[in-house]
Amino acid sequence: MNLRRLAGLDILSEQYSYGHDPKFGYVASSKIADRWVRTTCGYCSVGCGIQIGLRKNRAVTVRANPDHAVNFGKLCPKGLSEHYTMTAKNRALYPLLRKNGRLTRVTWDEALSTMVQRIGDVQSRHGRESFGVLSTGQLVTEEFYALGKLVQLGFGTKNFDGNTTLCMASAVSGYKRSFGSDGPPGCYEDLDKADVILLIGANIADNHPILCQRLERNREAALIVADPRVTKTAMMADIYLPVKPRSDIALLNGIAYVLIREGLVRRDYIEQHTTGFDDFARFVEKFTPEHVARVTGLEEELICRTALLYGRANAAFIGWTMGVNHSTQGAETVSAICNLALMTGNIGRAGAAPFSITGQCNAMGTREAGFTSSLPGYRKFDRADDREELATIWGIDASRIPTSRGLAYPDIIEAAVAKKIRALWIIATNPVVSFPNFDVLKQAFENLEFLVVQDGFHPTPTTELAGLVLPAAIWGEKEGTYTNSERRVSKVNRAVEPPGEAKPDFDIFLDLAERLGVRDELFPNWNQPRDAFEEWKRVSKGRLCDYSSMEYEVIEREGGIQWGGSRLYEDGRFPTEDGRAKFFAVECEPFPEQPGGEYPFIFNTGRTVEHWHTRTKTGRVAILESMSPRAWLEMNPKDASRLSLKPHDRVTVISPRSRVDGVELRVTEIVAPGQVFMPFHYAEANSNRLTQSAFDPISREPNFKQCAVRVEKTPLPGKEATWNS
Ligand code: SF4
């Protein structure tokens, strides 16, 4: 605070004086815009319509689009302050190359020619596949599609994955197993039309806040929330199911048992549209309410009441997010959810859906554009006709398209530890904070010969380790499309120029293609994202995610267009070989690291509404940071009293792998005895120093939600957590 302010002479009048906005009436003068640019929020997958207010070409405010079909004029705290991200002090401004141990400013020409030369050198010595790429759901679809071509056909490596494997891979795998393809079958309108809404491991009040409007509006629906933690969403529920960690599979199978026992199954739907029900019905015979009560910790009556509500509903909706996906059994849990929807015919109808609520703003777009777990347009690597079709569209020989997927994210890291991956390109993600078991990641990075990090922000804990930092444009500075959780393709627009020498990722990819000598072949006449979109329309034509009839202008005008219409599978036909969906028998297994002995607590991680992922975007937005400035650990009062800990004590959390010091303690019954919870946003109190290297064998998604820890009072009173402590 300056002296004038201390003396009361500076009352921040510039910031707080009022003026009259022709559109919005009296508002802070500093927020009166002379121009508005419509776009889509760049944080979560809800996909809210937003407009950026510009004055003299500077973003001074944001407003919700009042008539947008997703958010109806509302934004959450992150959306409401999103314009501040563009001018944040931690924006990456210039290419930086490590010289003599220091990141040193260089020209784009030097940066990109060094990148092509160093990666080429690594590949010539260790093979094409020694280069890996980790991308993100933060890119627009046009960029992601271009990147896939560049990586697999230009750099010639298939070891390409993204941070979506850390959040949505289990939903993708589960849908593929049960329905034959990825693609959430329902839409947000189902939350308005359902008469039972069951949310499992989905704290949407913190993570997808604008969806809560729908819960508030649909007062007639019974809201059931299953979560080990009494989240803000659980507090909204009519029925709260405090399941023990990782007992959700037992609950789902137990509901199936009761539905069969009570005759609440749709035999006609099962017979016409599914396979495997009889085996499944035999399998769930052991999931009696008594058994499920023992496994889940729920009362039998509550399990039966939930099943009866679900089974008797005209339209029942099951939504889930990371509580399901972040698990070594994530994909299987998704199949167990889909089992319930199939046996009751709660799919392809208004209000009825098994619905994965996606994480990032364009996680869906990356899933559709593929190149990681599938080829573009949900094509399969192992299908010759899919490869042939793509090769024809691209005018290349089909033999250049991989016949199997490359390494998934955790396997790329393991391969770096084993020195099979020698060069890594990370785009718009921050694995030092977001990847589990930091010590393994550290070892992987130490083994690399060359690490390139392309990001809109610097420094981040990951850019600080890079050999080369490429500064990228972010939301508000580039154009393209995002696809939200309900398959709504929305337009993303450029409102301002990127700062310094930062460039849109799209331009960086085309420049690299030029230097690799593949631009004319892979990206003929491409100069802007619209060119990629036009090709993507041809590539997706006739596929489940068909964009072929979409135009930028129409998407813009309509406030987004849902591919596949409002709902998929309305005719009961699924994209499997026989056109039928499949039932799966899913055992409920204990999570890999059980508490006990030295490590008596189950450690759970998650988010808070104010922050986004690892805080690279939100950590310098003053209003968000001041609302949630530091990490905390939630502990039940019984445990706190046993350990003689009190609220606001600084504690150390220790797992078999590492420790985090100086975390503020919150003593609260939000968590059950024996469990503790910590948000995963904070680099200086990095929960992923504690989490383990345990991954879903099907989806490769990490088991972020449970590991064993102990909690001690931090030895030095008042010692704050630091990033490298
Ligand atoms: S709910 Fe998600 S999309 Fe909507 S404003 Fe908030 S962060 Fe943005």
Side-chain angles (χ1 to χ4, degrees):
M1 193 181 286
N2 65 34
L3 275 177
R4 288 190 72 235
R5 178 126 177 80
L6 267 179
L9 298 172
D10 176 4
I11 56 165
L12 300 178
S13 58
E14 265 181 34
Q15 201 174 326
Y16 292 113
S17 68
Y18 277 82
H20 191 266
D21 181 285
K23 201 166 165 189
F24 298 107
Y26 285 99
V27 296
S29 308
S30 59
K31 296 192 171 190
I32 295 180
D34 53 37
R35 189 160 64 90
W36 293 88
V37 174
R38 287 166 77 95
T39 187
T40 307
C41 178
Y43 283 113
C44 88
S45 65
V46 174
C48 295
I50 192 169
Q51 26 190 342
I52 304 173
L54 300 168
R55 189 160 66 198
K56 294 182 185 156
N57 294 323
R58 271 182 60 84
V60 291
T61 188
V62 288
R63 291 259 175 180
N65 289 350
D67 50 356
H68 199 277
V70 166
N71 51 316
F72 309 111
K74 297 268 192 333
L75 294 171
C76 82
K78 287 194 286 288
L80 281 169
S81 54
E82 195 160 7
H83 56 298
Y84 294 120
T85 59
M86 291 181 273
T87 49
K89 288 201 168 61
N90 60 336
R91 289 300 307 276
L93 300 175
Y94 307 104
L96 302 169
L97 183 62
R98 194 170 294 280
K99 294 182 177 177
N100 301 319
R102 289 174 63 92
L103 283 170
T104 308
R105 183 174 168 179
V106 293
T107 62
W108 271 106
D109 185 47
E110 183 176 352
L112 295 186
S113 55
T114 304
M115 178 171 170
V116 168
Q117 181 267 318
R118 294 279 305 270
I119 290 167
D121 175 51
V122 165
Q123 288 184 307
S124 68
R125 284 184 287 114
H126 302 288
R128 290 271 195 183
E129 304 291 336
S130 62
F131 174 47
V133 180
L134 294 173
S135 164
T136 174
Q138 300 284 298
L139 298 179
V140 292
T141 298
E142 291 78 351
E143 290 170 340
F144 192 79
Y145 176 71
L147 177 66
K149 288 184 88 176
L150 176 68
V151 170
Q152 300 205 343
L153 304 173
F155 282 105
T157 178
K158 61 182 184 180
N159 293 329
F160 171 41
D161 202 1
N163 60 6
T164 42
T165 292
L166 306 188
C167 65
M168 293 316 305
S170 295
V172 174
S173 302
Y175 277 143
K176 280 185 185 171
R177 279 156 48 96
S178 295
F179 303 147
S181 173
D182 183 24
C187 59
Y188 299 157
E189 192 195 38
D190 292 333
L191 286 166
D192 303 331
K193 302 225 158 141
D195 43 12
V196 169
I197 299 168
L198 170 57
L199 297 177
I200 305 179
N203 178 15
I204 62 173
D206 267 310
N207 304 329
H208 303 87
I210 291 300
L211 288 187
C212 286
Q213 285 188 89
R214 311 246 178 189
L215 303 183
E216 295 278 2
R217 262 204 323 241
N218 187 358
R219 297 265 180 196
E220 300 300 308
L223 175 62
I224 308 167
V225 175
D227 202 303
R229 185 167 162 253
V230 194
T231 61
K232 290 175 198 163
T233 314
M235 291 176 202
M236 296 172 72
D238 299 298
I239 298 179
Y240 167 52
L241 305 175
V243 286
K244 288 185 190 165
R246 180 66 76 72
S247 64
D248 43 6
I249 294 172
L251 173 66
L252 293 161
N253 287 341
I255 292 173
Y257 172 94
V258 177
L259 293 173
I260 295 167
R261 187 184 71 186
E262 300 296 323
L264 293 170
V265 293
R266 281 270 310 271
R267 291 274 166 195
D268 55 337
Y269 191 91
I270 292 167
E271 273 156 32
Q272 287 167 34
H273 304 300
T274 71
T275 57
F277 179 72
D278 291 342
D279 288 344
F280 170 70
R282 273 191 294 278
F283 167 75
V284 295
E285 278 170 10
K286 62 188 178 195
F287 287 91
T288 60
E290 306 79 59
H291 172 67
V292 174
R294 272 196 304 278
V295 179
T296 60
L298 301 174
E299 289 171 15
E300 283 179 43
E301 187 275 329
L302 209 48
I303 297 161
C304 294
R305 186 144 51 103
T306 300
L308 295 179
L309 271 170
Y310 184 82
R312 288 173 182 158
N314 289 323
F317 178 98
I318 307 182
W320 76 91
T321 64
M322 302 314 149
V324 166
N325 294 336
H326 280 171
S327 157
T328 44
Q329 281 192 281
E332 290 191 299
T333 314
V334 172
S335 292
I337 290 170
C338 295
N339 288 340
L340 291 188
L342 290 171
M343 69 196 288
T344 52
N346 273 307
I347 184 165
R349 294 189 290 114
F355 192 74
S356 75
I357 306 166
T358 317
Q360 300 177 75
C361 53
N362 199 33
M364 275 298 296
T366 67
R367 283 153 68 168
E368 296 150 11
F371 291 104
T372 52
S373 64
S374 60
L375 286 167
Y378 295 140
R379 289 178 178 85
K380 296 187 166 95
F381 283 106
D382 59 1
R383 285 190 59 147
D385 54 342
D386 281 354
R387 298 195 303 274
E388 200 64 54
E389 191 179 33
L390 266 183
T392 305
I393 297 170
W394 289 339
I396 62 165
D397 195 302
S399 64
R400 287 175 66 190
I401 300 177
T403 55
S404 61
R405 73 163 291 176
L407 297 174
Y409 192 154
D411 306 307
I412 289 175
I413 300 302
E414 292 289 345
V417 172
K419 298 194 176 176
K420 289 181 180 149
I421 293 283
R422 302 285 189 131
L424 189 61
W425 181 15
I426 294 174
I427 301 162
T429 189
N430 186 15
V432 168
V433 187
S434 57
F435 192 75
N437 196 356
F438 170 71
D439 285 346
V440 171
L441 185 87
K442 185 162 169 263
Q443 204 186 332
F445 280 9
E446 282 166 2
N447 285 357
L448 291 172
E449 291 182 29
F450 191 47
L451 173 64
V452 183
V453 183
Q454 179 168 321
D455 207 305
F457 299 90
H458 172 74
T460 73
T462 304
T463 62
E464 282 181 324
L465 302 177
L468 176 66
V469 178
L470 302 177
I474 61 166
W475 174 88
E477 299 165 353
K478 58 185 187 175
E479 187 184 25
T481 51
Y482 293 151
T483 310
N484 75 357
S485 287
E486 58 167 0
R487 296 169 278 100
R488 181 180 297 273
V489 181
S490 293
K491 190 73 201 318
V492 175
N493 287 319
R494 180 177 185 141
V496 297
E497 293 296 317
E501 293 180 9
K503 289 186 188 191
D505 299 87
F506 188 78
D507 294 356
I508 300 171
F509 301 151
L510 289 192
D511 196 334
L512 285 165
E514 181 90 48
R515 287 162 199 273
L516 288 169
V518 295
R519 180 162 175 168
D520 289 343
E521 183 196 30
L522 300 181
F523 311 110
N525 303 315
W526 285 24
N527 293 303
Q528 53 182 334
R530 187 188 286 264
D531 301 325
F533 189 75
E534 290 304 317
E535 183 173 301
W536 170 236
K537 281 164 59 178
R538 291 197 297 280
V539 166
S540 63
K541 187 171 182 178
R543 309 297 303 175
L544 192 64
C545 52
D546 189 337
Y547 283 57
S548 61
S549 61
M550 295 188 200
E551 300 293 340
Y552 269 4
E553 291 70 20
V554 183
I555 295 171
E556 180 101 61
R557 198 177 58 232
E558 303 285 313
I561 298 173
Q562 287 172 275
W563 60 253
S566 298
R567 293 171 192 89
L568 304 181
Y569 314 133
E570 284 174 322
D571 59 0
R573 280 200 62 76
F574 294 85
T576 52
E577 294 203 339
D578 58 5
R580 290 165 174 267
K582 293 192 179 77
F583 281 93
F584 281 88
V586 180
E587 290 288 359
C588 180
E589 289 162 11
F591 53 86
E593 188 174 80
Q594 292 290 315
E598 269 189 274
Y599 305 102
F601 288 100
I602 301 170
F603 181 70
N604 182 8
T605 63
R607 318 180 202 202
T608 183
V609 68
E610 296 86 7
H611 283 301
W612 178 248
H613 284 190
T614 62
R615 266 162 77 245
T616 49
K617 279 171 94 171
T618 53
R620 300 290 176 99
V621 175
I623 192 165
L624 298 175
E625 185 65 359
S626 61
M627 283 195 285
S628 196
R630 70 183 76 85
W632 69 89
L633 186 85
E634 291 171 8
M635 178 182 279
N636 187 275
K638 287 189 182 129
D639 292 322
S641 145
R642 195 168 41 77
L643 294 174
S644 305
L645 294 169
K646 40 185 209 316
H648 310 299
D649 275 349
R650 292 297 194 264
V651 294
T652 298
V653 192
I654 305 165
S655 80
R657 290 152 293 282
S658 190
R659 60 192 286 143
V660 178
D661 288 309
V663 185
E664 183 177 344
L665 187 71
R666 289 187 185 172
V667 178
T668 168
E669 290 189 354
I670 284 173
V671 288
Q675 300 175 31
V676 288
F677 170 88
M678 189 165 140
F680 60 56
H681 305 291
Y682 297 85
E684 57 278 21
N686 184 353
S687 65
N688 282 316
R689 285 179 171 253
L690 307 170
T691 51
Q692 62 178 146
S693 301
F695 304 95
D696 184 322
I698 301 169
S699 70
R700 307 305 289 143
E701 184 147 342
N703 196 89
F704 283 116
K705 291 290 182 193
Q706 308 98 9
C707 70
V709 298
R710 71 171 180 271
V711 180
E712 297 172 353
K713 196 161 182 172
T714 300
L716 294 176
K719 184 183 172 192
E720 288 284 345
T722 58
W723 150 237
N724 52 7
S725 62

